[in-house]
Amino acid sequence: MSDLRLPQLLLSPRSKTDVEAFLSMPSHALLLLGPSGSGKKTLALAMLSQLLDEPAHKVIQSPNVLKIDCEGSKAQSIGIDQIRQAQAFVRLKSTGHQLLNRAILLLDAHLLTIEAQNAFLKLLEEPPVDTVIVLTASSRQKLLPTILSRTSAIQLTAPPEATSKAFFTALGHDPALVNSVFHMSRGLPGLMAQLLGDQQDNYVLAYIAQAKQLLQLTTFDRLVMVDELIKKKSDLDSFLWALQTISQAGLSQALDKNDQKAAAHWHKVLAQTSQAQADLPSHPQSKLLLTNLCLHL
């Protein structure tokens, strides 16, 4: 069950070791942690494929797998009604004669409301013996300590640069493009795959395009854009992440070219963006935070 020879799977040595350890002796609940673009969903599906003995491309449609997320919904959080669906799901009699016959896949668990987390906790406290629960999240901080204490956690880290570049070059991508995308994505495998795949409807690309647009505007126009950004507050974290990704790529390329002026500019943008990211969870006024960021970029 620990064979991870899947064509789309790219892991750091540490992450692969942790994944193989879980697959060889799975517990009832797993939490995959990593920033947007780290490949959490792809890894979760690959692991469920092996745990449930389902073809990887059929896992998400399997009647034995319940997926919970915000995709395709106008909601900006995962509420208690979706958790009630999970509770009803596990009350049904499962089919199959394996150790694990079904799974709950909860994507972006950091978007769970507190009420939903408390309800989900009951599933974690009394899980059905033949059911595995896999959660993904970008941060531990938005999850209750009781949720964290009842899950095995794997922190995803970026694979070595040479490994990532060789992986995507072997898939037929131009080496120069792979090099550029590696720096833009900070080596995050999921984001690299999305960027190289040029999926124009992908939300990650949308955030990056939005962040690039902000950087190209005048200060006045940036302040106007703030009013649009705060209309969907749940996206601010991802938008700031995209801005950080672009500034890190710009800084890396400026240093490679020994362009001190450009390096100083990108260092400033990166510092301001990182501070905004740190302040966002506790800041009482998102508009004020973004306005201050735009004035100092």
Side-chain angles (χ1 to χ4, degrees):
M1 222 189 295
S2 63
D3 184 4
L4 290 174
R5 290 177 297 177
L6 295 174
Q8 75 276 29
L9 208 59
L10 174 62
L11 297 169
S12 69
R14 175 60 187 271
S15 297
K16 184 175 182 180
T17 297
D18 291 342
V19 168
E20 289 178 336
F22 183 87
L23 290 174
S24 65
M25 191 175 294
S27 60
H28 71 281
L30 171 68
L31 173 61
L32 297 176
L33 289 162
S36 297
S38 56
K40 300 184 296 296
K41 180 179 177 180
T42 298
L43 175 58
L45 293 175
M47 294 180 73
L48 289 180
S49 170
Q50 295 190 48
L51 291 170
L52 302 178
D53 195 23
E54 293 258 14
H57 65 284
K58 292 184 178 180
V59 167
I60 206 72
Q61 288 89 26
S62 171
N64 296 319
V65 177
L66 176 67
K67 179 170 74 79
I68 300 173
D69 60 14
C70 283
E71 292 179 10
S73 169
K74 294 182 179 179
Q76 300 178 21
S77 61
I78 300 173
I80 193 168
D81 287 344
Q82 288 164 282
I83 302 309
R84 286 174 179 150
Q85 292 177 14
Q87 293 169 339
F89 176 72
V90 299
R91 283 196 291 268
L92 298 173
K93 185 176 181 180
S94 64
T95 58
H97 305 286
Q98 301 182 127
L99 180 64
L100 295 172
N101 295 307
R102 61 184 173 184
I104 295 172
L105 175 60
L106 201 167
L107 301 173
D108 298 323
H110 53 277
L111 298 180
L112 285 164
T113 64
I114 295 299
E115 183 184 30
Q117 288 193 53
N118 282 319
F120 195 72
L121 186 59
K122 295 178 182 178
L123 283 175
L124 294 176
E125 289 173 337
E126 300 177 6
V129 293
D130 66 343
T131 302
V132 63
I133 301 171
V134 178
L135 305 87
T136 72
S138 61
S139 170
R140 296 173 181 265
Q141 285 140 356
K142 295 182 181 180
L143 294 173
L144 294 174
T146 45
I147 295 278
L148 296 173
S149 67
R150 287 168 174 79
T151 57
S152 301
I154 295 178
Q155 179 72 51
L156 299 188
T157 55
E161 180 175 351
T163 301
S164 295
K165 290 181 178 179
F167 179 87
F168 287 104
T169 299
L171 293 178
H173 296 292
D174 178 71
L177 179 59
V178 169
N179 181 63
S180 176
V181 166
F182 177 85
H183 290 293
M184 177 175 285
S185 66
R186 291 175 291 150
L188 296 173
L191 182 53
M192 287 190 71
Q194 289 161 352
L195 293 174
L196 288 167
D198 194 27
Q199 301 174 34
Q200 294 302 322
D201 59 342
N202 190 279
Y203 74 97
V204 174
L205 291 179
Y207 291 132
I208 289 178
Q210 196 176 40
K212 283 183 176 179
Q213 179 187 1
L214 180 79
L215 291 171
Q216 293 168 357
L217 296 174
T218 64
T219 300
F220 175 80
D221 289 332
R222 287 175 186 167
L223 296 178
V224 173
M225 190 174 175
V226 166
D227 289 327
E228 292 299 315
L229 291 171
I230 63 171
K231 288 180 180 179
K232 198 169 182 182
K233 293 184 178 180
S234 64
D235 283 359
L236 293 182
D237 197 16
S238 296
F239 171 75
L240 290 175
W241 166 82
L243 192 58
Q244 182 194 53
T245 296
I246 292 170
S247 56
Q248 285 181 321
L251 178 59
S252 177
Q253 290 174 358
L255 292 174
D256 287 344
K257 296 177 181 178
N258 199 27
D259 187 337
Q260 297 302 317
K261 183 177 179 180
H265 165 73
W266 286 115
H267 187 274
K268 177 184 176 183
V269 175
L270 179 58
Q272 294 292 336
T273 303
S274 297
Q275 186 60 56
Q277 284 180 301
D279 293 342
L280 182 62
S282 59
H283 203 286
Q285 297 186 31
S286 301
K287 183 175 181 178
L288 182 60
L289 182 145
L290 286 183
T291 298
N292 182 65
L293 174 62
C294 288
L295 289 172
H296 291 88
L297 288 179

